[in-house]
Amino acid sequence: MAKVRIGDRLISAGLITNEQLEKALEEQKKQVRRKKIVRILVDLGYIEETKLLGFFVELCKRNELNLISILEDFPNSEENILKLLSRIINMEYVNLDAYEFNADVAEMLPYSIVEKYLVFPMSVDSDNNIKVVLADPFDVRAKDAVMRSIRGKKVIFCIAKKEQIVSVVIRISLHDSVKLLVKKIREEMSGDSANVMLADDANQSSITKLIYVIFETAVKQKTSDIHIEGTEKSTLVRIRVDGVMREAFKFDKDMFAPLSSRIKLLANLDIAERRKPQDGRYSDIILGKPFDFRISTLPIITGESIVIRILDKSKVLVKLEDLGISELNYDRFSEAIKQPNGIVLVTGPTGSGKTTTLYAALNAIKSVTHKIITVEDPVEYQMDMIQQVMVNERAGMTFAAGLRSILRQDPDIIMIGEIRDKETLQIALQAALTGHLVLATLHTNDAISGVARLLDMGVESFFIGSTMCGLQAQRLVRKLCPHCKYEVEPPDKMLAQIKNLIPEDYHFYKSHGCRQCGMQGYIGREVISEVVLGTEGMRRLISAGATKDELLAEARKDGFVTMFEDALLKALEGRTSLDEVYRVAKI
């Protein structure tokens, strides 16, 4: 729909005057960032947003406009349009974010209809009425197809966001793909050869095939972790994609025991031990690529929780410049890791990509002229030209013990998986003082706090100040899907908070989800960071025990940019959304 056409329609309906439309068009020309004409009409007070949305809904009812096209043209108002529509046509609007998938109900409608018309049965009430959710309540063909398939029951239609419906449709597709496998597993369990699935060739086992379906699904969606949990009523399989958990599969409770046993066998764990935590590893080729699976089991009151960390071996070859670090912080961090000696710390919470950054840093600086040794818990990726030591506390190989042994191996560069205690820190600082470059991770919320964390461990400020090369704090933000992102105008309250940090000609983006991103709106993640360099002034302040505010002021002199500011720049570039910036970082 062209802007003039919308204006003409509104004039014809008597909602605005021709003079008001002309003034709105003049206002639009003055703006550095041109808003949609309907948004300007609302902002100028010429028409209420509710009346505007109501007008569009009425056009849909008369089949003069398509609801889906309206939602695509006005994505910021999608939820408002759907809620208003639900009141006008007396059809319930449902938010599927909290929807609990019910396979038995979903199977009441053939998948061919579900996929073609984006409809699915959501629930059945006590009166045996079936609640069916659809994206377009004016799609007569979709309603007819549902009514022909579900006979003898009353169908109650509901409306929801298209991307939410597509996510459920994907779940239904996955459920259909494993339904036959689940049936075969039950047959194996009930037959005379109940233990065949555990002892026979892995390729002949239905439970192994089911595990491979789970693994393949996870790999396709670029999952970092698989969570398999036995609840009181079901077996729940959830996956963490781009840092966010989502449900992938849901089986009956009896599926947990064979799943758990087979996974333990793959990882060489004790299948009979359910009272103690266990840890193991398993390697395989999934979809033509080699993966390591780090498996952890934990006893819980309803049985066990199994978490599988997926390690893509190809990621060990990641380059520092491919992590998405901004140009400024990339240059600053590169300067720190190229020092001949001293300590470089990468800080952040669990799952913020610290270890990946250190591997990328080692890739950037390794050469035949340097001997590099790491001590890790555990070794996640194996690297060429680098000696890697794995912590084994039962055998007495702690971080501190490993570091002492490493120093007798004549290393040039040492990487420590995590500095956890005073003893490890003291040895690391001593190594940095005696001519080694030490790279390590730490858990703090920002870069400056890393100094305070080291002091809290009981080390003299002089040792920290004299060895500090740099501190990088980081998080991971989800990247907007390039196929479905669109420009948006942030809420006034949010703009007021960041007005001093953004240019007058700003652009922010969101994405509504499409098939390329699995209706999530995001594909992949990249680093946001802040880097404090160990300049002469910074080292002097650290050695003198300066406050956090004093250290921050000194860092600002050297061009320091906070993590929030770094994330905001990525949002302005259209790489991520403002919502994601606020979710991950803070002002």
Side-chain angles (χ1 to χ4, degrees):
M1 289 186 295
K3 293 182 177 73
V4 175
R5 184 184 172 191
I6 292 174
D8 289 341
R9 282 176 174 268
L10 292 171
I11 291 172
S12 299
L15 294 173
I16 62 171
T17 66
N18 188 64
E19 183 183 2
Q20 288 174 330
L21 177 60
E22 290 297 327
K23 288 182 178 179
L25 289 170
E26 289 176 11
E27 179 64 26
Q28 188 185 52
K29 291 177 182 177
K30 296 177 186 176
Q31 295 178 348
V32 178
R33 299 179 63 257
R34 293 194 172 188
K35 300 180 183 178
K36 289 182 178 291
I37 193 68
V38 289
R39 187 74 257 167
I40 296 173
L41 288 167
V42 172
D43 290 344
L44 292 174
Y46 294 155
I47 184 172
E48 294 180 8
E49 186 177 62
T50 304
K51 287 185 178 180
L52 176 67
L53 298 181
F55 172 67
F56 287 137
V57 169
E58 288 300 324
L59 291 179
C60 288
K61 289 175 68 176
R62 300 199 298 265
N63 292 321
E64 294 181 33
L65 281 180
N66 178 269
L67 175 66
I68 301 300
S69 68
I70 290 175
L71 296 177
E72 290 174 352
D73 283 343
F74 303 96
N76 283 337
S77 303
E78 179 178 7
E79 190 166 350
N80 290 336
I81 292 174
L82 292 178
K83 286 181 177 179
L84 180 64
L85 173 64
S86 69
R87 292 196 296 270
I88 292 173
I89 64 176
N90 196 27
M91 182 182 289
E92 182 186 356
Y93 167 77
V94 293
N95 185 344
L96 297 178
D97 284 340
Y99 167 65
E100 187 172 344
F101 180 71
N102 189 320
D104 293 333
V105 175
E107 289 175 355
M108 292 180 175
L109 197 63
Y111 180 71
S112 57
I113 293 176
V114 169
E115 183 181 38
K116 182 176 181 180
Y117 295 107
L118 290 183
V119 297
F120 74 94
M122 178 180 176
S123 61
V124 179
D125 64 21
S126 56
D127 295 326
N128 215 23
N129 298 323
I130 298 179
K131 188 177 286 187
V132 175
V133 182
L134 75 173
D136 186 353
F138 304 109
D139 190 339
V140 177
R141 291 181 302 170
K143 289 183 176 180
D144 287 345
V146 171
M147 299 301 291
R148 286 196 303 269
S149 298
I150 301 177
R151 298 180 180 274
K153 295 184 185 341
K154 182 181 178 182
V155 176
I156 302 173
F157 287 103
C158 303
I159 188 170
K161 289 182 179 181
K162 180 183 175 182
E163 64 264 27
Q164 292 181 338
I165 294 176
V166 172
S167 295
V168 176
V169 171
I170 292 171
R171 287 283 313 282
I172 294 172
S173 172
L174 289 173
H175 171 75
D176 283 359
S177 69
V178 302
K179 190 165 54 176
L180 185 59
L181 278 176
V182 171
K183 182 180 179 182
K184 288 183 178 180
I185 292 169
R186 288 202 172 96
E187 290 174 356
E188 291 177 359
M189 292 172 64
S190 61
D192 293 334
S193 56
N195 292 319
V196 168
M197 73 184 90
L198 303 180
D200 202 359
D201 187 281
N203 293 326
Q204 304 302 316
S205 168
S206 296
I207 191 65
T208 301
K209 292 177 181 177
L210 178 59
I211 290 172
Y212 271 82
V213 170
I214 294 172
F215 284 179
E216 287 179 359
T217 300
V219 168
K220 284 178 182 177
Q221 298 188 42
K222 296 180 173 57
T223 299
S224 61
D225 301 89
I226 303 171
H227 293 243
I228 303 175
E229 300 150 356
T231 67
E232 290 184 2
K233 297 180 180 179
S234 63
T235 299
L236 188 62
V237 180
R238 297 190 291 168
I239 57 178
R240 188 180 296 279
V241 181
D242 293 336
V244 179
M245 289 278 281
R246 67 176 77 150
E247 188 176 310
F249 299 95
K250 192 173 185 179
F251 308 112
D252 290 337
K253 185 175 176 61
D254 62 344
M255 285 296 103
F256 184 80
L259 273 172
S260 171
S261 296
R262 169 51 72 183
I263 290 170
K264 286 180 179 178
L265 278 177
L266 291 174
N268 292 316
L269 301 179
D270 184 354
I271 64 172
E273 181 57 75
R274 299 183 180 88
R275 298 171 299 172
K276 295 179 181 179
Q278 297 188 75
D279 294 290
R281 293 180 77 101
Y282 165 66
S283 298
D284 209 335
I285 295 176
I286 305 294
L287 300 175
K289 291 179 65 178
F291 287 88
D292 280 338
F293 298 93
R294 203 171 75 208
I295 296 164
S296 170
T297 71
L298 179 71
I300 57 177
I301 59 173
T302 54
E304 277 184 297
S305 170
I306 300 173
V307 176
I308 304 168
R309 169 65 59 88
I310 302 176
L311 303 172
D312 185 348
K313 290 186 176 181
S314 64
K315 285 187 176 179
V316 70
L317 302 175
V318 68
K319 296 180 180 178
L320 194 61
E321 57 266 31
D322 293 337
L323 296 179
I325 302 174
S326 65
E327 185 177 353
L328 171 67
N329 286 335
Y330 172 81
D331 291 341
R332 291 166 66 86
F333 186 67
S334 296
E335 180 184 339
I337 63 174
K338 290 176 181 176
Q339 298 300 312
N341 55 69
I343 188 165
V344 178
L345 295 174
V346 179
T347 78
T350 301
S352 59
K354 300 187 299 297
T355 303
T356 301
T357 297
L358 284 186
Y359 279 128
L362 292 179
N363 266 331
I365 60 179
K366 71 179 182 181
S367 73
V368 293
T369 61
H370 291 131
K371 178 158 186 176
I372 302 175
I373 306 181
T374 75
V375 54
E376 306 168 63
D377 183 20
V379 174
E380 293 196 359
Y381 300 105
Q382 296 180 19
M383 302 178 68
D384 294 333
M385 297 174 59
I386 294 174
Q387 283 74 56
Q388 295 170 273
V389 178
M390 186 162 70
V391 167
N392 185 345
E393 294 192 359
R394 290 182 180 177
M397 178 61 81
T398 61
F399 274 111
L403 270 174
R404 288 194 191 93
S405 299
I406 283 173
L407 290 173
R408 293 192 289 270
Q409 290 284 310
D410 187 30
D412 297 294
I413 301 170
I414 301 169
M415 192 267 268
I416 306 170
E418 182 184 348
I419 294 179
R420 297 176 179 173
D421 52 51
K422 180 180 178 180
E423 186 180 11
T424 304
L425 176 59
Q426 285 178 325
I427 299 171
L429 292 176
Q430 191 63 42
L433 279 170
T434 54
H436 304 85
L437 178 65
V438 179
L439 309 180
T441 72
L442 201 64
H443 285 152
T444 62
N445 288 325
D446 56 69
I448 300 292
S449 295
V451 176
R453 177 77 181 96
L454 297 180
L455 291 171
D456 287 343
M457 289 185 180
V459 179
E460 293 292 334
S461 60
F462 167 79
F463 288 110
I464 301 171
S466 56
T467 57
M468 185 58 62
C469 291
L471 276 158
Q472 171 165 301
Q474 68 178 59
R475 302 282 192 283
L476 296 175
V477 292
R478 293 180 292 171
K479 295 189 291 184
L480 284 171
C481 172
H483 305 285
C484 61
K485 74 177 182 181
Y486 57 89
E487 191 171 344
V488 295
E489 181 71 14
D492 291 340
K493 184 177 180 181
M494 193 176 286
L495 280 176
Q497 293 177 327
I498 60 176
K499 65 180 180 181
N500 295 328
L501 301 174
I502 60 176
E504 184 180 350
D505 182 17
Y506 60 83
H507 298 270
F508 289 109
Y509 302 83
K510 274 189 177 182
S511 48
H512 50 69
C514 62
R515 290 195 178 274
Q516 279 82 358
C517 60
M519 301 310 296
Q520 299 303 310
Y522 298 92
I523 298 180
R525 291 186 292 176
E526 65 181 25
V527 172
I528 58 169
S529 61
E530 57 184 36
V531 180
V532 174
L533 289 179
T535 60
E536 189 62 38
M538 183 62 69
R539 288 187 176 201
R540 186 168 56 251
L541 285 175
I542 292 173
S543 299
T547 65
K548 183 177 179 179
D549 288 340
E550 291 171 332
L551 294 176
L552 182 58
E554 179 64 26
R556 286 286 193 186
K557 293 178 184 178
D558 187 47
F560 173 78
V561 173
T562 68
M563 204 180 318
F564 182 84
E565 292 166 350
D566 186 51
L568 197 57
L569 288 173
K570 290 185 182 292
L572 288 165
E573 293 169 358
R575 300 165 72 91
T576 191
S577 67
L578 201 52
D579 289 338
E580 183 72 359
V581 170
Y582 273 85
R583 184 184 74 86
V584 175
K586 62 180 181 179
I587 298 179

